[in-house]
Amino acid sequence: MEEELEGSKKHAIAQQLRRDIAAGVIKPGEKLSEARLAARFGVSRMPVREALKELESAGFLTVEHRRGTFVKSLRRHEILDLFEVREAVEGMAARLCAGRGNNEFLTQLDEIMAEMSLAVEAADSDGYSAIDARLHALIAAGSGNGRLLEHYNLLVQQLNRGYLSSIVTRRAGRMRRSFEEHRAVVQALHAHDADAAESAMRVHVRTGRAELQDEVASKFDL
């Protein structure tokens, strides 16, 4: 019971810190103090420490030896360069899926889209971001190209996808726009239309890049 309570505290702290970082309340490069966070949330240091570890794994934080824990800094030009690469990689993944996706794969896509729709209606941005990541990972894996999948996984790590997705998904109306973009990709995959699938995926990634650029510029001035 005590472990469950600690886990619940850790989850609540991690979720709030995610929201604060994504909203720009806690700035890139800002140092996080376990003691101050424990006082803020009215808990011991243990759930705070565990929450910080979770956020580090998700790409929100970086730990510097002998210096402490910091919110990961954003370098706009690097992020935007990586998004251009991501557009090409994920566009190719969608193209290959159009020819290789079987009925089981398409059923999985539809199930994820149904979950995504519920997240949109519930205005659950954290849930939406997680489902979004699963959809893109499924398409990358469904390409059937191992080298492409390696490049995709590397891009996800380099982009700190969870962090950036949390930022852009909270943009007004972005979840619904993103859902419609995903639906265009999935419809093309169902039709086995390689050109349309690649085009729809490229539009989706390019639009996300543009909205992220606006959000980063307005909130972080980077």
Side-chain angles (χ1 to χ4, degrees), residues 92-199:
M92 179 56 68
R95 167 173 286 279
L96 293 174
C97 277
R100 298 174 180 176
N102 57 25
N103 288 337
E104 181 182 353
F105 169 79
L106 294 173
T107 297
Q108 286 181 277
L109 281 181
D110 291 342
E111 290 171 350
I112 292 176
M113 288 296 291
E115 291 181 50
M116 192 175 277
S117 178
L118 292 175
V120 172
E121 295 307 318
D124 179 4
S125 58
D126 288 333
Y128 185 92
S129 293
I131 298 165
D132 181 308
R134 285 168 48 208
L135 180 68
H136 283 267
L138 178 61
I139 291 172
S143 71
N145 186 308
R147 288 306 179 98
L148 185 149
L149 182 58
E150 287 177 10
H151 283 294
Y152 170 80
N153 289 331
L154 181 60
L155 280 168
V156 168
Q157 293 172 15
Q158 292 177 326
L159 279 166
N160 301 309
R161 195 181 190 287
Y163 182 9
L164 298 180
S165 180
S166 291
I167 292 172
V168 75
T169 300
R170 285 180 168 77
R171 188 173 174 84
R174 178 56 194 159
M175 267 194 291
R176 195 166 294 280
R177 290 192 295 275
S178 172
F179 178 76
E180 293 303 326
E181 292 161 16
H182 284 116
R183 181 148 60 184
V185 174
V186 172
Q187 286 175 342
L189 292 175
H190 269 282
H192 301 288
D193 187 332
D195 289 339
E198 179 175 4
S199 176

